[in-house]
Amino acid sequence: MTAYEVNFDGLVGPTHNFGGLSFGNVASGAHGQQTSNPREAARQGLRKMKRLHDLGFRQAVLPPHERPDMGLLRQLGFHGNEAQILAQVAREAPHLLTAASSASPMWTANAATVSPSHDTQDGRVHFTPANLNAKLHRAREHQTTARVLRGIFADESRFAHHPALPGVSDFGDEGAANHTRLCATYDQPGVGFFVYGRDAADSRAPLPARFPARQTRQTCEAIARQHGLVPERVVLAQQNPDAVDAGVFHNDVIAVGNQNVLFYHEQAFLETSRTLQSLSEAMQGLGSELLPVCVPEAAVSLQDAVQSYLFNSQLLSRPEGGMLLLVPSECRSNPRVSAYLDELVSGPSPISDVLSMDLRESMKNGGGPACLRLRVVLTAAECEALSARVFLDDDLYRTLEDWIDRHYRDRLNPADLADPQLLRACREALDELSGILGLGAVYPFQQQVESAS
Ligand code: SUG
């Protein structure tokens, strides 16, 4: 049966700001406390979706979450009405207000790990929302993510939803950012390639020295079990700790795969030859051949890879044949990376085209094109079974563009996050959006009506 890769991009939320919240994510640290432009951020993301839709790819959208997260602030001991809570947290612990206001759910590559129905023992598409427990500002995302995914993929005969893994460090889970599915074509079984930063059960395994490794081997094993993946078609690998220390906080900052192609940096993995050997064997078991495209350090240094986000690109199979690499515009402003890309597409590689897009607002928080999307391989029948209006078409694009223009500010400073009017505006926007997308009541404020005054 025909199957497609559908990219579910996160719409950037109205509180998009630069909080400097993600230690180990170089861009987040460098831009903390700058003024953001939520409207431009949302438009940049939407333009990417539209461009891919226009090129013939299947494009869908996931909504932002409710922010500031008043539930988090109450859980942290702030009390009173909402205006009082916002004033108190801004006065006493502004970093907690920033954490509660992050628009980080936009990076839907971290929303969940997804296994297509061709890969699972029960023939359903399996979803595990990521607990994202490495960072306070992301650790509650899975609650709304789970409701949204259950709302969209509602048919239980086709879609299986698991709860997030236990929220302890041994099970740190960052979702699809550390998971790549390799296959010959989307309508055939594939190989689940999981990459972790540390092994919580092996105290002798190497660790990064400077920055934290967010995801564990135990997480990858649990998800593979939970999703009913065939062990011969699962490959696990550890990230190179030196890469983590250079700012590679997720594997998708240093490698991207699509179908049988793996595009990766020479320093991405701890044991590169063993990893490639295992992937090749698993692909051979499916009657396919792995095509590794290694970028040597001599052509693009680890530092240039992190600065330009070359590997946080989307590698897409064009409907008319050939593969397209959608890169952030930073790749074209870095002369060494740009020269490498020109060479790549003029040579014999399976990557035939490069498209560069401006996603600077997201990039300043360490989120490139690949971070902004969750890949879900679906058969034509599964596509038809979705319950919400999430597929992007010209009409939905125009509606969302207008919705952004009416609801988003074009300047936001950290101090603005305490404004109760921002919370009200955010809820009004999301209430309208859940109607546009036909999502039902997925947000906490839609379940309990509270006074913001
Ligand atoms: O988790 N940045 C995100 C970026 C996520 C990128 N996702 C992938 N690589 N798939 C993170 O570090 C920064 C927020 C701030 O500092 O305001 C942030 O959360």
Side-chain angles (χ1 to χ4, degrees):
M1 161 162 314
T2 321
Y4 312 93
E5 175 181 279
V6 185
N7 280 285
F8 283 77
D9 275 51
L11 261 178
V12 178
T15 59
H16 160 67
N17 72 95
F18 301 120
L21 297 169
S22 277
F23 178 63
N25 167 343
V26 178
S28 156
H31 297 101
Q33 312 310 311
Q34 291 188 2
T35 303
S36 64
N37 183 340
R39 190 187 296 163
E40 183 54 20
R43 282 184 187 159
Q44 286 172 353
L46 188 61
R47 279 199 286 266
K48 168 165 93 77
M49 299 185 223
K50 177 70 159 64
R51 190 70 191 270
L52 289 181
H53 163 71
D54 289 346
L55 287 170
F57 298 102
R58 289 192 177 226
Q59 182 64 56
V61 57
L62 289 173
H65 294 189
E66 179 183 349
R67 295 288 181 269
D69 180 348
M70 300 307 291
L72 172 62
L73 295 176
R74 286 190 198 283
Q75 194 183 353
L76 297 178
F78 297 98
H79 51 86
N81 68 33
E82 291 182 325
Q84 288 165 336
I85 290 175
L86 290 170
Q88 190 193 357
V89 69
R91 203 171 50 242
E92 295 174 10
H95 60 288
L96 294 181
L97 177 58
T98 315
S101 306
S102 176
S104 53
M106 71 171 88
W107 299 300
T108 52
N110 305 115
T113 304
V114 185
S115 299
S117 51
H118 283 104
D119 299 356
T120 63
Q121 271 158 14
D122 67 2
R124 295 190 291 169
V125 184
H126 283 242
F127 298 85
T128 298
N131 62 31
L132 294 171
N133 68 345
K135 304 285 173 202
L136 173 67
H137 68 288
R138 308 208 64 180
R140 282 166 49 100
E141 285 180 29
H142 68 90
Q143 299 174 2
T144 298
T145 298
R147 280 195 296 275
V148 168
L149 291 177
R150 281 175 189 275
I152 296 172
F153 301 94
D155 180 348
E156 287 180 12
S157 70
R158 297 181 185 277
F159 306 115
H161 296 274
H162 303 281
L165 293 177
V168 294
S169 91
D170 281 8
F171 285 100
D173 182 6
E174 300 283 316
N178 290 325
H179 173 247
T180 308
R181 177 180 185 260
L182 298 163
C183 60
T185 56
Y186 299 123
D187 54 3
Q188 290 175 50
V191 172
F193 178 35
F194 292 85
V195 183
Y196 56 90
R198 68 195 156 90
D199 185 337
D202 181 358
S203 55
R204 287 161 309 155
L207 283 173
R210 186 171 169 222
F211 291 144
R214 297 193 195 180
Q215 183 155 332
T216 64
R217 179 181 178 97
Q218 288 62 36
T219 294
C220 304
E221 291 168 346
I223 291 175
R225 265 193 306 272
Q226 189 82 281
H227 288 196
L229 302 183
V230 179
E232 295 72 42
R233 292 191 225 134
V234 173
V235 175
L236 268 58
Q238 183 171 346
Q239 278 186 287
N240 177 351
D242 294 342
V244 179
D245 279 337
V248 180
F249 56 99
H250 291 138
N251 179 60
D252 70 2
V253 176
I254 204 66
V256 58
N258 176 50
Q259 294 193 324
N260 64 338
V261 176
L262 182 66
F263 180 61
Y264 68 100
H265 189 271
E266 186 182 359
Q267 297 207 39
F269 310 114
L270 185 62
E271 298 173 296
T272 308
S273 44
R274 187 203 56 80
T275 302
L276 291 179
Q277 179 67 26
S278 305
L279 287 172
S280 291
E281 284 169 11
M283 291 293 279
Q284 270 162 19
L286 294 173
S288 179
E289 192 195 345
L290 180 74
L291 275 184
V293 180
C294 176
V295 181
E297 173 77 22
V300 175
S301 68
L302 202 47
Q303 203 188 356
D304 277 341
V306 171
Q307 181 276 328
S308 66
Y309 258 41
L310 167 63
F311 296 92
N312 200 258
S313 298
Q314 286 182 251
L315 185 56
L316 298 139
S317 299
R318 302 193 79 137
E320 63 274 34
M323 282 195 198
L324 168 74
L325 193 68
L326 191 167
V327 303
S329 51
E330 283 74 359
C331 288
R332 284 306 190 185
S333 23
N334 179 316
R336 292 168 299 279
V337 174
S338 188
Y340 171 79
L341 285 171
D342 290 339
E343 204 179 301
L344 178 75
V345 292
S346 61
S349 97
I351 301 168
S352 49
D353 292 285
V354 173
L355 169 65
S356 154
M357 292 209 70
D358 176 4
L359 294 161
R360 274 188 214 134
E361 286 286 325
S362 169
M363 283 287 286
K364 284 168 80 177
N365 263 334
C371 299
L372 286 161
R373 58 93 174 98
L374 179 67
R375 300 197 273 191
V376 186
V377 170
L378 295 170
T379 63
E382 287 159 357
C383 282
E384 274 165 36
L386 300 202
S387 308
R389 183 192 174 201
V390 287
F391 282 106
L392 195 80
D393 54 23
D394 292 349
D395 198 32
L396 183 58
Y397 171 73
R398 274 191 297 272
T399 305
L400 291 176
E401 205 182 26
D402 168 66
W403 171 83
I404 291 167
D405 286 349
R406 283 185 293 106
H407 290 286
Y408 282 54
R409 298 185 184 189
D410 60 4
R411 271 179 77 81
L412 200 63
N413 285 305
D416 300 329
L417 299 170
D419 178 2
Q421 179 51 32
L422 181 68
L423 173 65
R424 275 194 292 269
C426 188
R427 287 179 176 164
E428 265 172 41
L430 295 186
D431 210 29
E432 187 182 328
L433 181 68
S434 52
I436 293 170
L437 301 179
L439 286 173
V442 288
Y443 296 113
F445 76 90
Q446 293 173 318
Q447 277 135 31
Q448 91 240 342
V449 179
E450 290 178 344
S451 160
S453 58

